[in-house]
DNA sequence: GGCCCGAGATGAACACGTTCAAGTATTCGC
DNA sequence: GCGAATACTTGAACGTGTTCATCTCGGGCC
């Protein structure tokens, strides 16, 4: 019934890995649409049904890309956060690392985002299934501000990682639709908006704007609270641990 | 080859309309996945091939929903803009009208957004194909500010409709993922963010923040310019006028 | 060793969206 | 009115992702 995400035998794990690697190679060679499940199975030396024994669908195979980029990005950010010490530079470095990491997969951004946009999809950044990944991202942005001597009000400090995560999603959304060579426009977007964000954050703590900042952060907390109860209540605590 | 979006004969138009209405009814009754092209054809009293004579794909059929809501929203906004005179009230009214209009279709928001997210899709709000629709939306938001005595700098005034359109897209994105009953959370989001926007806009014209506002609007102009030349140059001026 | 049970593997079959060569009806120039 | 072009219509066939009853194999148990 449910695909075997974690094979029990060593042989099973090997087969699973072979299917995954074959599919990623074929996706790169022939694109998503150009790669059929039959071809993947044939090239991996298994039957079609066997591929479905390990992976729920063709989509879950391409989702492996997503995970891969996510992890690569986290790794790349370690060096960035080691090197940079100012808020603006850190954020800029993290965003640049993001763009560099995902660039090879721009070709698949369409299909990736297509599935990601579906509220039911585990790839969807807002869904519960992707909560672990999202938490990792938020933690990353928390690190971006933690290492700095940025002085902001407490409430904003608490909310900032989430806001930066949303900003980062917006950039990715822009990137997906960016048809310029080398994703020139997205790079420009980042280089212009990061300083702007830094400025807004600094200004947000001025007495003049304090009340507004407080209003905004209070609202965000309220919104989260509103979501918290019903969704934690009705949903069973299932965490299917979708494939890799 | 290309589907007949505008039939030449009256009979053709009738068939086309019958297919469209049947599909919308079935989508409502059985959902998108539960409605097959064979069923649509059978219920409409035509052959499968005939449906494809008028509509490029199953997706284009559901896109009719999108157009419909868009037009309904524009109509609903006439009354709102007639009634309200302040910027905040106008924006709030327009956004409320949006939520009310699209609510019946929340069930399809997943599949709709799924196709809308695809950079190739004509439904994609950023694509060239949907430029007319986007222009209509931007015009709507221009009307929102035109009727008011809002005092902002010239550059912000010019950019504001675009920014509001982006804001509105963000709200829709939130709405799609909103699982709360009656879309309570999205309503809350709008009611809280609209006043915030109004405040930011007002503050943006203060001397203290002028320079930042100018920087931001200049960047937006730059970004548009950057996009303008290459994309207008290489793309032929084709405007296929996809189905209704 | 014989047995069994479950993990692993098979490929035909299914359902679907889509295409296409071929048909029929309608319109238009003359 | 007639022929030809054009609009419209058909349903079988194709390719695809996915499912399922069935088979194979390997290791644990007596």
């Amino acid at each position: 019934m449910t695909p075997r995400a974690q094979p029990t035998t060593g042989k099973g794990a090997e087969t699973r890995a072979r299917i995954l690697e074959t599919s990623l190679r074929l996706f790169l060679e022939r694109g998503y649409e150009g790669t059929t499940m039959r071809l993947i199975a044939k090239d991996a030396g298994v039957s079609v049904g066997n591929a479905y024994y390990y992976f729920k669908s063709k989509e879950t195979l391409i989702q492996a890309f997503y995970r891969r980029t996510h992890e690569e990005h986290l790794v790349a950010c370690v060096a960035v956060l080691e090197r940079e010490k100012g808020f603006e530079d850190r954020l800029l470095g993290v965003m640049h690392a993001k763009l560099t990491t995902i660039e090879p997969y721009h070709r698949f951004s369409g299909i990736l985002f297509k599935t990601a946009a579906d509220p039911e999809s585990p790839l969807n950044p807002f869904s519960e299934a992707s909560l672990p990944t999202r938490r990792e991202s938020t933690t990353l942005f928390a690190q971006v501000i933690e290492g700095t001597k940025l002085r902001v009000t407490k409430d904003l400090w608490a909310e900032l990682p989430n806001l930066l995560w949303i900003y980062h999603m917006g950039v990715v959304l822009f990137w997906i639709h960016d048809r310029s060579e080398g994703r020139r426009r997205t790079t420009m977007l980042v280089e212009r908006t990061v300083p702007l964000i830094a400025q807004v954050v600094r200004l947000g703590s001025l007495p003049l704007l304090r009340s507004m900042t407080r209003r905004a952060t209070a609202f965000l907390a309220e919104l989260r609270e509103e979501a918290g109860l019903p969704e934690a209540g009705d949903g069973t605590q299932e965490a299917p641990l979708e494939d890799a």
Side-chain angles (χ1 to χ4, degrees), chain A:
Chain A
M1 200 68 231
T2 48
R4 183 119 330 192
Q6 282 165 316
T8 49
T9 72
K11 191 185 164 205
E14 200 185 310
T15 307
R16 185 178 189 283
R18 201 165 63 247
I19 293 168
L20 185 58
E21 290 311 313
T22 305
S23 68
L24 295 196
R25 177 175 59 77
L26 287 173
F27 285 150
L28 280 173
E29 280 174 22
R30 319 165 55 103
Y32 182 75
E33 315 277 312
T35 305
T36 69
M37 289 303 282
R38 283 163 182 79
L39 183 60
I40 292 173
K42 196 175 148 199
D43 268 34
V46 298
S47 65
V48 226
N50 200 210
Y52 281 92
Y53 181 73
Y54 291 105
F55 299 94
K56 191 164 61 86
S57 67
K58 190 181 175 185
E59 272 187 18
T60 62
L61 279 169
I62 200 139
Q63 286 172 18
F65 270 128
Y66 182 76
R67 296 285 179 116
R68 196 161 281 193
T69 63
H70 177 70
E71 279 151 26
E72 281 178 23
H73 181 225
L74 287 181
V75 170
C77 282
V78 171
V80 170
L81 296 180
E82 193 74 30
R83 191 176 65 233
E84 307 294 349
K85 288 305 161 198
F87 169 69
E88 197 174 316
D89 289 335
R90 283 164 86 87
L91 182 56
L92 196 61
V94 165
M95 293 306 296
H96 259 143
K98 182 81 186 185
L99 294 185
T100 308
T101 310
I102 60 182
E103 182 55 34
Y105 310 105
H106 189 262
R107 184 177 174 188
F108 305 111
S109 63
I111 176 67
L112 266 179
F113 191 65
K114 210 167 158 168
T115 75
D118 186 351
E120 315 293 344
S121 163
L123 201 61
N124 174 349
F126 301 103
S127 81
E128 306 220 8
S130 64
L131 205 122
T133 306
R134 185 163 82 245
R135 235 196 283 275
E136 279 181 349
S137 285
T138 320
T139 305
L140 173 66
F141 288 113
Q143 285 169 6
V144 167
I145 54 178
E146 262 164 27
T148 71
K149 38 180 177 278
L150 190 69
R151 283 289 157 256
V152 295
T153 55
K154 204 170 193 175
D155 48 357
L156 182 56
W157 179 276
E159 212 58 63
L160 207 46
N162 291 316
L163 290 173
L164 290 177
W165 178 78
I166 291 174
Y167 162 71
H168 136 271
M169 287 302 296
V171 170
V172 172
L173 181 59
F174 189 92
W175 174 82
I176 286 166
H177 296 90
D178 186 355
R179 287 271 175 278
S180 67
E181 39 170 332
R183 249 47 66 191
R184 203 166 13 94
R185 298 183 67 214
T186 308
T187 306
M188 190 170 126
L189 177 73
V190 167
E191 281 167 0
R192 296 292 194 287
T193 49
V194 164
L196 218 54
I197 287 173
Q199 195 172 357
V200 168
V201 168
R202 277 191 300 267
L203 288 174
S205 297
L206 289 183
L208 174 69
L209 304 175
R210 271 275 172 78
S211 75
M212 196 172 77
T213 306
R214 191 154 31 231
R215 194 141 71 97
T217 52
F219 154 62
L220 288 171
E222 186 187 5
L223 198 61
R224 205 179 344 270
E225 182 191 333
E226 175 83 358
L229 283 178
E231 277 171 24
D234 66 350
T236 47
Q237 213 62 13
E238 41 132 16
L241 209 10
E242 214 62 35
D243 74 303

